[in-house]
Amino acid sequence: MPSTLDRTDRALLAALQDNARLTIAELADQVALTTSPCWRRVKLLEENGYITGYQATLSPKALGFGITAFVSIMMESHTKDMALAFEQRLMQIPEIVACHNISGRYDFLLEILARDLESFGEFTREVLQRLPGVKEIYSSFSYKAVKERRVIPVSKQHI
């Protein structure tokens, strides 16, 4: 489906990704459209799944989260039921802000926020070690975020 995006669609996606609070009038100005066609194109991009939602970007530091940990999880079993139970439980834990099922030695990579090292240690003991099917946990800590904002490439060379 990406090949159906034209220059204007890509410009709309880039503008909204940069600032989702733009009004339709401001967005239309940025991409050289009038408001009605702009609104219709944005609705089509939403309906076709290119835009999956809108949200504010929050500062973990300002909210008191001083630790970002990347935790690799090895499962004791690779059954479908075990993976499903693990994934369903993860969805209920707000400190886990991202999770990827990955290839390699480990099965899952989690991004976790904690107030400090002590609270991360408690979280590991009380939550992570009790997740269904966990065999091994390996943690790494971020010293600083070098590229923090997740921006999906929308230029013609990429899609």
Side-chain angles (χ1 to χ4, degrees), residues 3-96:
S3 61
T4 64
L5 295 176
D6 64 14
R7 182 185 59 77
T8 302
D9 291 329
R10 289 191 302 275
L12 287 166
L13 292 172
L16 286 170
Q17 190 168 215
D18 187 51
N19 182 1
R21 294 186 68 176
L22 290 171
T23 65
I24 287 295
E26 292 167 331
L27 187 57
D29 277 348
Q30 280 195 21
V31 300
L33 287 175
T34 58
T35 55
S36 292
C38 181
W39 180 85
R40 282 193 297 274
R41 278 183 177 251
V42 170
K43 287 298 166 205
L44 275 172
L45 289 167
E46 292 170 351
E47 290 167 10
N48 290 323
Y50 293 104
I51 299 172
T52 59
Y54 300 87
Q55 70 183 59
T57 304
L58 306 181
S59 166
K61 186 176 179 180
L63 293 166
F65 296 103
I67 299 291
T68 299
F70 294 93
V71 177
S72 300
I73 302 282
M74 181 186 293
M75 302 300 288
E76 64 186 26
S77 165
H78 293 93
T79 67
K80 185 176 180 179
D81 290 340
M82 182 69 69
L84 187 59
F86 179 81
E87 291 172 13
Q88 287 176 339
R89 178 65 183 105
L90 284 183
M91 300 304 287
Q92 302 166 0
I93 305 169
E95 294 88 348
I96 300 173

Side-chain angles (χ1 to χ4, degrees), residues 92-154:
Q92 302 166 0
I93 305 169
E95 294 88 348
I96 300 173
V97 296
C99 173
H100 295 268
N101 186 205
I102 59 172
S103 65
R105 178 178 180 177
Y106 293 96
D107 300 299
F108 292 92
L109 179 64
L110 313 178
E111 181 178 354
I112 298 173
L113 298 179
R115 297 213 175 277
D116 51 36
L117 282 174
E118 184 178 343
S119 64
F120 177 78
E122 184 178 324
F123 179 80
T124 299
R125 288 184 301 279
E126 300 298 320
V127 178
L128 293 182
Q129 291 178 346
R130 295 180 182 187
L131 288 170
V134 170
K135 177 181 178 181
E136 185 178 318
I137 298 172
Y138 179 83
S139 301
S140 298
F141 299 95
S142 173
Y143 294 130
K144 72 175 185 175
V146 176
K147 184 176 181 181
E148 196 167 39
R149 190 163 168 252
R150 184 173 185 215
V151 177
I152 309 300
V154 294

